[in-house]
Amino acid sequence: MSHVLQNVVLPLDRDPDLLPLYVDPETWTSIDEEPVRVSNRARLGNVLGRTQARILEGRRVSFGTYFNAFPASYWQHWTTVRSVTLTVRTTGPATILVYRSTGAGVSQRIDTKEVAGAASTSFALTLDQYSDGGWIWFDVAADEEPAVFDGAEWTTEQEPARTGKASIGITTYNKPGYCVGTLRALADSPEALDVIDRIFIIDQGDRRVDAEADFPEVAEQLGDALEIITQPNLGGSGGFARAMAKTLDRPDSDFVQLLDDDVKIEPESIRRSVVFGRFAATPTIVGAHMFDLLDRPKLHAWAEVVDDRPFMWRTLYQERMPHDFSVANLRQSPTLHMRLDADYNGWWMCLIPTEIIREIGLALPAFIKWDDAEYCLRARDAGYPTVSVPGIALWHVSWVGKDDSIDWQAYFHARNRIVAGLLHSRSPDGGTLLRHSRRMDLKHLMMMQYYPVALRHRALRDILSGPAHMHAGIASAMPAARALAKDFPETVVHKETGVPLRSRHGRQVFKRSRRHEFDSPTGLRLRWFTVSTLVSHWLHAPRPENLAQPEVEFGKEDAHWWRVPYYDSALVSAADGSGKNIYTRDRAKYRALLWDSVRLHRRLRRNWSTLSQQYRSAAAGLTSAEAWHVTFGDRSPREA
């Protein structure tokens, strides 16, 4: 029996920004080792359907693109598949050329065939030379008259290790329009529905998905496959834990596919992720890449890892991200041809086998932040890998234009990173995690950002109280964090009202270039700057005139921790451009919070081993279905 691993598809939306992700009908050259576009012949009018495109006479179109090249190295390394067949269907005289790449991005031709009339052309391919990386793709070149590409797929005769379907779990809070859009995309994709058992919408808001005007129509299309579940706002982890628990009750589901709400999906990616999970040599968490929903050719995450010593997440080759496919496509980007191994994948789209869930439990009751990374680290410790697979992706609202390190989410950033470290850090005393946490406090304090420091200290106190606080406070921690903002004037965003806010000495402007992007102090200069600033803020009260009116103004990109501390007050643009925040030195708050930071981090350092033992001993209980059912209100503590 032949199994389709990957269909070649064209964009659902008639959006010229999307074309470089699907087809590459352009000519490139190289100048000073940089890719340069010579011509751009991409026309939406030549896209005839989801799987069909016109190729004009004398033109050549490459399918060596993000969504249509075959990620051979990932299939060779993580699955048992070794024989793959590429079948290409065309009409008209054309030449089909098949290529592969090495892990260094070097292209090599595999085969070439000339075709005419209505043709179905197959190429037998072996996956045995892609250990370090590499893709396989094909080009179609029309001859003296136009040709039509009628479709293609990558298949195998090998049998999968698993055959079950996936249930989809979408957690949402007041984003009903996005959810209905996702449901409509699924309803219109029979290939995706073929691998889906159930679609769970976990609605935690007061703007209900089922109250949307378009919902009845799409619900009728999906029928019994769709189930809406309402519950209090328990954050992403609470919604996804519910989806995991519901999926465990579905005998036909071998996987749960977690999806964020503010996304736009590529339905073929849903199908590919399930198929990859079925063929994986061992039960594997299959992660998707994330493109920017507001700048759709830009890829923000390829493979993400957690560095153990600082216990901090990052994306591999983060200096090259985001990658803009409208500037350099797959064939012009050698880094993207390496096989990059991930430690975890964001839960914007992530497929988890039910076999793993039954062994290691549900999500950590984290509300938001670090629940996805912690889960994948927990799976790693149990012997299950996470693979972020190229060609499997969606579009998600990116973190550009956000700064959640200084709003109510600062509590969850601080608490959940340290809790995850207590559970999974392999470094003695958590490595440099607590040192980094203390530095975060100092940076915020020097920048007159007292609210996030107060939240971070609340997080440390909760950690010290023991693991029971996580379930107990999952519904109340966020409202409590937001309520605290009223005590901190810098949290007020002053909107434009026609009378611009002004500072006494005007806006501070700094030179920007790649070479001089950051002028932060280092080495001895950094130590002197930190000590002198901390002492100065402790000893000296701000000048009255700088309290009455902000002393200077900064753009958000210029308001760094080594610039703002020189002033008594500053007018700083909000990250999303909606207004300005006024940061003012408050010596009393500064002194109290600085002392708390020293004291709390000292307690954490002193008690790290004991706390780590407590949290690791409690982990199975915290993530059990029984504990979550109590939090959901389905059962009483006695029944659990």
Side-chain angles (χ1 to χ4, degrees):
M1 178 180 176
S2 180
H3 300 276
V4 178
L5 306 181
Q6 185 169 307
N7 290 305
V8 173
V9 293
L10 295 164
L12 287 167
D13 299 336
R14 295 188 63 78
D15 184 342
D17 284 345
L18 294 178
L19 280 178
L21 303 180
Y22 293 85
V23 291
D24 191 1
E26 303 170 339
T27 304
W28 295 75
T29 187
S30 180
I31 299 177
D32 294 334
E33 300 183 353
E34 291 293 326
V36 177
R37 183 187 288 110
V38 175
S39 64
N40 184 343
R41 296 169 177 169
R43 294 190 179 95
L44 285 171
N46 291 327
V47 177
L48 305 178
R50 179 65 162 157
T51 61
Q52 194 175 47
R54 180 190 301 111
I55 302 169
L56 301 178
E57 64 272 15
R59 301 285 175 83
R60 175 171 173 161
V61 171
S62 177
F63 290 85
T65 57
Y66 178 83
F67 276 120
N68 285 324
F70 185 74
S73 63
Y74 290 80
W75 279 92
Q76 176 179 319
H77 188 76
W78 296 108
T79 78
T80 57
V81 174
R82 292 296 174 269
S83 299
V84 173
T85 299
L86 167 64
T87 302
V88 183
R89 294 179 298 282
T90 53
T91 302
T95 302
I96 302 171
L97 308 96
V98 181
Y99 293 88
R100 61 154 291 185
S101 64
T102 68
V106 177
S107 299
Q108 300 171 341
R109 189 186 296 183
I110 296 177
D111 203 351
T112 304
K113 292 184 180 180
E114 294 186 1
V115 295
S120 179
T121 310
S122 295
F123 301 86
L125 306 165
T126 302
L127 305 185
D128 61 356
Q129 296 180 343
Y130 302 90
S131 179
D132 289 336
W135 300 69
I136 308 174
W137 67 91
F138 65 94
D139 293 3
V140 179
D143 291 338
E144 68 276 1
E145 57 185 77
V148 174
F149 167 75
D150 292 313
E153 57 271 332
W154 309 80
T155 62
T156 187
E157 298 296 322
Q158 294 180 230
E159 293 300 316
R162 295 155 213 89
T163 57
K165 296 184 176 184
S167 285
I168 292 180
I170 303 173
T171 297
T172 184
Y173 180 78
N174 289 348
K175 291 186 173 68
Y178 281 107
C179 292
V180 171
T182 296
L183 294 176
R184 183 180 293 111
L186 291 171
D188 292 341
S189 178
E191 295 85 359
L193 288 178
D194 191 49
V195 300
I196 295 171
D197 176 31
R198 195 79 160 178
I199 303 170
F200 299 110
I201 299 286
I202 316 300
D203 197 336
Q204 303 185 132
D206 50 25
R207 291 169 51 200
R208 294 281 300 274
V209 173
D210 53 11
E212 284 288 288
D214 295 339
F215 177 80
E217 180 184 348
V218 73
E220 184 177 0
Q221 281 183 272
L222 292 170
D224 292 340
L226 176 63
E227 182 176 345
I228 304 288
I229 300 163
T230 60
Q231 66 182 34
N233 186 12
L234 305 177
S237 62
F240 290 135
R242 173 77 82 167
M244 292 176 181
K246 294 290 289 186
T247 301
L248 291 179
D249 294 333
R250 303 287 303 178
D252 292 335
S253 288
D254 279 354
F255 312 91
V256 61
Q257 176 76 267
L258 305 182
L259 281 180
D260 219 335
D261 54 358
D262 51 347
V263 302
K264 192 172 185 67
I265 65 167
E266 165 52 78
E268 170 66 12
S269 287
I270 301 286
R271 198 196 67 81
R272 290 179 188 177
S273 66
V274 177
V275 172
F276 193 92
R278 286 173 173 174
F279 278 94
T282 62
T284 297
I285 296 174
V286 182
H289 292 161
M290 190 198 92
F291 284 90
D292 190 340
L293 184 58
L294 304 180
D295 195 355
R296 298 185 71 180
K298 283 189 178 176
L299 176 73
H300 275 269
W302 188 272
E304 295 185 289
V305 297
V306 175
D307 293 324
D308 190 71
R309 186 160 171 76
F311 208 82
M312 190 60 190
W313 57 33
R314 66 179 173 91
T315 183
L316 291 175
Y317 293 96
Q318 59 186 359
E319 70 280 1
R320 302 183 187 181
M321 293 290 164
H323 180 85
D324 190 344
F325 279 92
S326 69
V327 174
N329 215 325
L330 180 65
R331 293 180 299 156
Q332 294 83 40
S333 308
T335 302
L336 305 187
H337 292 252
M338 291 188 285
R339 195 194 81 238
L340 299 179
D341 295 341
D343 286 335
Y344 78 98
N345 201 97
W347 280 357
W348 46 74
M349 178 176 167
C350 192
L351 183 92
I352 305 175
T354 54
E355 183 177 344
I356 295 178
I357 299 172
R358 287 191 171 92
E359 180 174 339
I360 72 171
L362 279 55
L364 188 74
F367 193 82
I368 57 168
K369 306 301 177 189
W370 280 89
D371 46 355
D372 45 14
E374 187 281 327
Y375 196 90
C376 293
L377 294 179
R378 199 187 331 156
R380 176 203 66 187
D381 294 345
Y384 301 113
T386 296
V387 183
S388 298
V389 183
I392 297 175
L394 50 57
W395 291 268
H396 184 280
V397 176
S398 78
W399 41 84
V400 173
K402 299 178 182 179
D403 187 356
D404 57 18
S405 68
I406 60 173
D407 66 13
W408 59 269
Q409 296 172 84
Y411 170 87
F412 298 100
H413 274 294
R415 185 195 66 172
N416 296 340
R417 177 187 175 193
I418 293 175
V419 167
L422 288 167
L423 290 169
H424 302 293
S425 176
R426 297 168 174 175
S427 299
D429 296 325
T432 58
L433 194 165
L434 294 182
R435 186 193 310 169
H436 186 268
S437 175
R438 188 173 61 247
R439 286 176 178 171
M440 290 289 291
D441 279 3
L442 298 181
K443 288 179 180 180
H444 285 306
L445 288 172
M446 290 190 293
M447 290 184 68
M448 302 169 280
Q449 295 170 341
Y450 304 121
Y451 174 58
V453 180
L455 289 176
R456 289 172 56 80
H457 293 175
R458 177 177 289 185
L460 301 190
R461 291 187 183 95
D462 284 346
I463 292 168
L464 287 163
S465 74
H469 83 275
M470 299 195 73
H471 268 294
I474 191 170
S476 59
M478 185 270 285
R482 300 187 73 159
L484 188 64
K486 69 181 186 300
D487 298 330
F488 296 88
E490 77 266 18
T491 62
V492 176
V493 177
H494 300 268
K495 307 288 187 179
E496 303 288 352
T497 61
V499 179
L501 286 169
R502 296 187 182 278
S503 62
R504 294 180 59 239
H505 299 298
R507 182 162 178 156
Q508 307 300 296
V509 180
F510 299 86
K511 180 179 179 181
R512 292 201 193 162
S513 68
R514 280 191 177 183
R515 185 176 177 184
H516 301 288
E517 183 177 2
F518 296 115
D519 52 355
S520 58
T522 58
L524 290 176
R525 283 183 60 232
L526 172 59
R527 294 185 180 185
W528 173 249
F529 170 82
T530 303
V531 171
S532 61
T533 302
L534 293 174
V535 171
S536 176
H537 283 209
W538 184 281
L539 294 177
H540 301 119
R543 297 171 65 89
E545 60 268 29
N546 294 330
L547 296 179
Q549 183 181 6
E551 188 176 0
V552 292
E553 180 180 352
F554 286 98
K556 182 63 179 178
E557 296 301 315
D558 291 327
H560 291 298
W561 59 267
W562 61 89
R563 293 173 180 159
V564 176
Y566 288 111
Y567 305 97
D568 288 338
S569 57
L571 191 62
V572 179
S573 300
D576 61 0
S578 62
K580 294 179 172 64
N581 299 89
I582 299 175
Y583 295 101
T584 304
R585 273 210 301 123
D586 185 320
R587 192 165 56 162
K589 283 180 179 175
Y590 169 81
R591 287 176 171 179
L593 291 169
L594 180 58
W595 173 242
D596 276 351
S597 181
V598 172
R599 184 173 54 84
L600 288 167
H601 283 96
R602 185 181 295 157
R603 283 185 62 194
L604 273 172
R605 172 70 68 190
R606 188 168 57 245
N607 294 292
W608 181 270
S609 296
T610 302
L611 283 167
S612 180
Q613 199 168 35
Q614 286 179 10
Y615 277 84
R616 293 184 189 210
S617 297
L622 285 174
T623 60
S624 68
E626 292 77 13
W628 271 109
H629 280 299
V630 172
T631 297
F632 296 146
D634 300 338
R635 301 175 192 169
S636 68
R638 185 173 298 176
E639 290 175 315

